[in-house]
Amino acid sequence: MKKLKLLYEGKAKKVYQTEMAQRLIVEYKDDATAFNGLKKGTIVGKGIINNKMSNRLMQRLEDAGIPTHFVTELNDRETVVQRVSIVPLEVIVRNIAAGSFSMRYGVEEGTVFEQPTIEFSYKNDSLGDPLLNMDHAKALKLATDAEIATIRTMALRINEILKSFWAECGVTLVDFKLEFGRLSDGTIILADEISPDTCRLWDAKTGDKLDKDRFRRDLGGVEDAYAEIMRRLVSHDEK
Ligand code: TMP
């Protein structure tokens, strides 16, 4: 499969049209941004890690019955995915308070929830991805009731699968962001990526952050953290 026209360039990925109408090629970049693009940088090798990690995790989810956009990995940075129209919702699942949840509600980072918490934002960069509730989502016609119900069920199931997978790697899955898309027949599938850019992953023993918070918060050791989390995944799969 070949990259034809560049359809879209986001902060961390480029998306290309291919010779097949229902297939796209995603190319992962090393560019990193935070705070809606206010902070910019490069995480050397990130594109390769995010591509490979996202693909492995999506294959794992597929095996567990979750439909995803993943088709085939072409090379270090490029993957063929199913073409979808993205549902403009950022779906955030949290197991432990951190980041914007801790800030907004004054809850200490690290507070473990009794059950997972789902939160939705309106995927809209010019508005800064504002938090919204399901009435807002319906008023804005972002998704139907049935789609929202499907997305919630899938997000919770994905959390269960990923939480136990990362636990086997000695990693605590604190929270993560998902995006879903619609196929041409309306079927909802998981899209975008699952990577250290989009998840909070803490070493289960030391609590060390092995994700993009090292970049967001200037903690140092960013590349090492990405390499370490990838190493955990690869060594799990080799066992
Ligand atoms: P938050 O605590 O900053 O709202 O982030 C929650 C999770 O979502 C965290 O794992 C990082 C991820 N995330 C993204 O993938 N993209 C974003 O633009 C933001 C703000 C968070």
Side-chain angles (χ1 to χ4, degrees), residues 90 92 94 98-101 119 129 175-177 197-200 216:
E90 301 211 337
I92 295 161
R94 300 178 189 270
S100 70
F101 188 99
E119 163 187 315
D129 300 336
D175 59 30
F176 56 96
K177 185 261 304 180
D197 276 19
T198 64
C199 303
R200 284 196 174 92
R216 296 189 187 98

Side-chain angles (χ1 to χ4, degrees), residues 11 33-36 90-94 97-102 104 109 119 121 125 128-129 173-179 192-193 195-201 211-213 216-217:
K11 286 177 280 208
T33 65
F35 315 117
N36 200 21
E90 301 211 337
V91 181
I92 295 161
V93 183
R94 300 178 189 270
S100 70
F101 188 99
S102 290
R104 181 175 298 116
E109 201 160 88
E119 163 187 315
S121 299
D125 278 341
D129 300 336
L173 177 61
V174 175
D175 59 30
F176 56 96
K177 185 261 304 180
L178 301 173
E179 294 183 24
D192 195 48
E193 69 181 275
S195 72
D197 276 19
T198 64
C199 303
R200 284 196 174 92
L201 300 160
D211 58 58
K212 193 177 166 190
D213 269 352
R216 296 189 187 98
R217 302 179 186 188

